[in-house]
Amino acid sequence: MPSNALYYGDNLEVMRKYLPDEGIDLVYLDPPFNSNRDYNLLFREQSGEPAQGQIKAFTDTWQWSERAYDEFCQTCPKPALVELVQGFVRTLGRNDLTAYLVMMAPRLVELHRVLKPTGSLYLHCDSTASHYLKVMLDVIFGARNFRNEIVWVRDPAGKGGKRVSRQWPRNIDVLLFYTKSDTYAFHQQYLPLTEEQKQAYRYEDARGRYKAVQRGNYSDEMLERFRAEGRIHISSTGKEYLKYCLDEVRATVGSVWDDIPGFGTRTAAAELLGYPTQKPLALLERIIQASSNEGDTVLDPFCGCGTAMSPPTNSTDAGSASTSPTSRLPSSSTASAICSTSPKAKTTASSASRPA
């Protein structure tokens, strides 16, 4: 399996021709779905002219093709997936949406093939097709291997024209997190407490600030240990509480990510390249740090402007991340698939773990 390899071409053909079975540790994909956008903004031939071959490939993606549909139905190795897609077509009709699903189905099958048994996949999408894609992934990966639906709040609600819209703002994306088996890498991510959260730590002792919480179901033996360690708070009425020290607490990153802003309100961000659907480096860093180990191979089959090629900084703390790019895909590159090696260090690895 090559490392730090960049491929130019149809990612389905690239995966079938160049990527062996079970060689990838982590897949991140952000497949485009908006035929009104010019996704070739950064893609040029060596002469500087627009990459016409890629423009055609992107346009064909969202136009119904009976030939592509028949080819998928005849060649897909998963009969249940064929039946599902045929059901979508019967129900929704032959249109841009079902053309998109026909395009995605064989690529998701290939991504499952190239993933190691311990591999993970994150599919980045929006409300346009996320529900259809999830059912397809359930068929391909097995519903039991669905781990999380992560909501990324990319922009604050109520900006500009959204405030007068007759619907709720569309300010979130969805990340569908699947694994190939019950054994996979996962490293919990953490954030520092907010000032509001710190206000709950209103008591203080020799260790510093702490808050008092209910004792819970600890055994008498454990409570005696806490008393000996000075970790019991006694109220004015004599009731015992446990001490949670501020210096020992970190906020666990949950499944709603509202701490990584998109570029809708950061038009002058240093990392912004001008690609229509560019994602922040911090978003990719969190995914790579959480779901890979040092030296793992990461595949981004749609590539975009190459955010996944900018790896996290080396760190022995799975909770730390740098938003400064350490490498950058040149804006003139014409890649539709990328295979890179994760350089960061991890202190913990979790087998057969299931994130909360």
Side-chain angles (χ1 to χ4, degrees), residues 229-284:
E229 295 174 350
R231 302 181 72 91
I232 295 293
H233 172 86
I234 301 177
S235 71
S236 58
T237 61
K239 188 175 181 179
E240 290 185 333
Y241 295 85
L242 293 180
K243 294 180 180 180
Y244 275 27
C245 297
L246 177 59
D247 291 342
E248 299 173 354
V249 175
R250 293 182 294 177
T252 301
V253 174
S255 57
V256 177
W257 296 357
D258 57 3
D259 61 305
I260 301 176
F263 293 115
T265 56
R266 296 195 300 148
T267 55
E271 66 190 76
L272 188 60
L273 298 177
Y275 190 71
T277 56
Q278 182 178 346
K279 301 304 184 292
L281 284 167
L283 185 72
L284 272 296

Side-chain angles (χ1 to χ4, degrees), residues 149-171:
E149 180 181 68
I150 299 164
V151 174
W152 174 44
V153 183
R154 62 178 185 269
D155 290 310
K159 291 290 183 180
K162 295 177 181 178
R163 299 190 65 179
V164 296
S165 175
R166 298 181 63 188
Q167 64 187 39
W168 302 111
R170 294 178 178 175
N171 63 325

Side-chain angles (χ1 to χ4, degrees), residues 125-244:
C125 52
D126 62 17
S127 59
T128 305
S130 61
H131 40 304
Y132 302 115
L133 292 170
K134 184 185 184 303
V135 179
M136 290 168 62
L137 287 170
D138 282 344
V139 171
I140 296 168
F141 281 78
R144 67 188 299 271
N145 289 318
F146 169 66
R147 302 301 169 192
N148 288 97
E149 180 181 68
I150 299 164
V151 174
W152 174 44
V153 183
R154 62 178 185 269
D155 290 310
K159 291 290 183 180
K162 295 177 181 178
R163 299 190 65 179
V164 296
S165 175
R166 298 181 63 188
Q167 64 187 39
W168 302 111
R170 294 178 178 175
N171 63 325
I172 66 167
D173 282 356
V174 170
L175 290 154
L176 300 175
F177 172 30
Y178 282 78
T179 62
K180 200 168 182 178
S181 70
D182 288 335
T183 303
Y184 56 94
F186 187 78
H187 310 273
Q188 185 62 66
Q189 301 294 291
Y190 300 95
L191 294 171
L193 297 184
T194 65
E195 290 303 316
E196 182 179 358
Q197 290 171 323
K198 290 179 181 179
Q199 290 177 7
Y201 295 78
R202 56 193 182 93
Y203 302 106
E204 192 167 353
D205 63 8
R207 291 188 180 88
R209 291 170 58 186
Y210 69 89
K211 69 176 180 179
V213 299
Q214 297 288 341
R215 298 189 327 179
N217 296 322
Y218 286 106
S219 65
D220 291 339
E221 181 181 356
M222 285 299 299
L223 290 173
E224 281 300 322
R225 175 181 169 182
F226 291 149
R227 292 187 187 99
E229 295 174 350
R231 302 181 72 91
I232 295 293
H233 172 86
I234 301 177
S235 71
S236 58
T237 61
K239 188 175 181 179
E240 290 185 333
Y241 295 85
L242 293 180
K243 294 180 180 180
Y244 275 27

Side-chain angles (χ1 to χ4, degrees), residues 95-135:
N95 50 47
D96 292 350
L97 174 59
T98 48
Y100 172 76
L101 297 176
V102 169
M103 181 276 293
M104 285 297 300
R107 287 162 175 80
L108 294 176
V109 171
E110 284 300 305
L111 290 172
H112 182 268
R113 176 186 66 81
V114 303
L115 264 183
K116 292 180 180 178
T118 54
S120 300
L121 176 141
Y122 288 78
L123 194 160
H124 193 140
C125 52
D126 62 17
S127 59
T128 305
S130 61
H131 40 304
Y132 302 115
L133 292 170
K134 184 185 184 303
V135 179

